[in-house]
Amino acid sequence: MRTRSYRHATPVQRFAARHPVLLAVYTGTPIGLVVVLAAWPRVRTAADFAFVLANCVLVYCVFALVGYGERARQRLLGRERRTVKRG
Protein backbone atom coordinates (compact mmCIF):
# COMPACT_ATOMS: atom_id res chain seq x y z
CA MET A 1 0.00 0.00 0.00
CA ARG A 2 1.31 3.42 -0.92
CA THR A 3 1.90 5.91 1.81
CA ARG A 4 1.01 9.53 1.27
CA SER A 5 2.66 12.61 2.57
CA TYR A 6 0.40 14.56 4.90
CA ARG A 7 2.39 17.76 5.03
CA HIS A 8 0.44 20.96 5.45
CA ALA A 9 -0.07 23.12 2.39
CA THR A 10 2.27 26.05 1.89
CA PRO A 11 0.88 29.59 1.82
CA VAL A 12 1.22 29.67 -1.97
CA GLN A 13 -0.69 26.41 -2.31
CA ARG A 14 -3.44 27.71 -0.02
CA PHE A 15 -3.69 30.92 -2.07
CA ALA A 16 -3.87 28.91 -5.31
CA ALA A 17 -6.66 26.76 -3.90
CA ARG A 18 -8.67 29.65 -2.49
CA HIS A 19 -8.26 32.03 -5.44
CA PRO A 20 -7.64 30.11 -8.69
CA VAL A 21 -8.75 32.99 -10.92
CA LEU A 22 -6.46 35.46 -9.17
CA LEU A 23 -3.65 32.93 -9.52
CA ALA A 24 -4.30 32.89 -13.26
CA VAL A 25 -4.30 36.69 -13.48
CA TYR A 26 -1.22 37.21 -11.31
CA THR A 27 0.89 34.57 -13.03
CA GLY A 28 -0.54 34.81 -16.52
CA THR A 29 -0.20 38.57 -16.95
CA PRO A 30 3.62 38.71 -16.95
CA ILE A 31 3.77 35.71 -19.27
CA GLY A 32 1.14 37.28 -21.52
CA LEU A 33 3.10 40.54 -21.64
CA VAL A 34 6.24 38.66 -22.69
CA VAL A 35 4.26 36.87 -25.41
CA VAL A 36 2.79 40.16 -26.66
CA LEU A 37 6.15 41.95 -26.62
CA ALA A 38 7.86 39.07 -28.41
CA ALA A 39 5.18 38.85 -31.08
CA TRP A 40 4.54 42.58 -31.50
CA PRO A 41 6.93 43.17 -34.45
CA ARG A 42 5.24 40.38 -36.41
CA VAL A 43 1.62 41.40 -35.69
CA ARG A 44 0.30 42.95 -38.90
CA THR A 45 -3.32 41.86 -39.22
CA ALA A 46 -6.31 41.36 -36.97
CA ALA A 47 -5.84 37.59 -37.28
CA ASP A 48 -2.29 37.91 -35.93
CA PHE A 49 -3.56 39.93 -32.99
CA ALA A 50 -6.33 37.40 -32.34
CA PHE A 51 -3.75 34.60 -32.35
CA VAL A 52 -1.61 36.40 -29.75
CA LEU A 53 -4.70 37.12 -27.66
CA ALA A 54 -5.77 33.45 -27.86
CA ASN A 55 -2.34 32.38 -26.63
CA CYS A 56 -2.65 34.73 -23.64
CA VAL A 57 -6.10 33.36 -22.82
CA LEU A 58 -4.69 29.83 -23.05
CA VAL A 59 -2.02 30.72 -20.48
CA TYR A 60 -4.70 32.12 -18.16
CA CYS A 61 -6.78 28.96 -18.54
CA VAL A 62 -3.83 26.70 -17.75
CA PHE A 63 -3.05 28.55 -14.53
CA ALA A 64 -6.72 28.64 -13.51
CA LEU A 65 -6.93 24.87 -14.03
CA VAL A 66 -3.81 24.46 -11.89
CA GLY A 67 -5.55 26.44 -9.14
CA TYR A 68 -8.71 24.36 -9.36
CA GLY A 69 -6.60 21.19 -9.35
CA GLU A 70 -4.83 22.36 -6.21
CA ARG A 71 -8.21 23.02 -4.60
CA ALA A 72 -9.32 19.47 -5.42
CA ARG A 73 -6.03 18.03 -4.15
CA GLN A 74 -6.34 19.84 -0.83
CA ARG A 75 -9.95 18.75 -0.46
CA LEU A 76 -8.96 15.14 -1.13
CA LEU A 77 -6.07 15.28 1.33
CA GLY A 78 -8.33 16.84 3.94
CA ARG A 79 -10.77 13.97 3.56
CA GLU A 80 -8.02 11.38 3.79
CA ARG A 81 -6.54 13.08 6.83
CA ARG A 82 -9.89 12.85 8.62
CA THR A 83 -10.44 9.19 7.73
CA VAL A 84 -6.98 7.86 8.64
CA LYS A 85 -6.99 6.14 12.01
CA ARG A 86 -4.45 7.61 14.35
CA GLY A 87 -2.75 5.64 17.02
Side-chain angles (χ1 to χ4, degrees), residues 2 4-5 19 30 34 37 39 51 53-54 56 58 79 82-83:
R2 286 177 50 186
R4 293 195 182 231
S5 174
H19 310 289
V34 169
L37 290 175
F51 181 74
L53 187 63
C56 292
L58 179 66
R79 259 190 241 137
R82 288 189 293 268
T83 59

Side-chain angles (χ1 to χ4, degrees), residues 34-69:
V34 169
V35 167
V36 168
L37 290 175
W40 192 252
R42 296 184 180 141
V43 174
R44 300 193 196 293
T45 64
D48 294 338
F49 183 73
F51 181 74
V52 171
L53 187 63
N55 283 324
C56 292
V57 168
L58 179 66
V59 169
Y60 286 133
C61 289
V62 165
F63 280 109
L65 287 173
V66 167
Y68 284 114

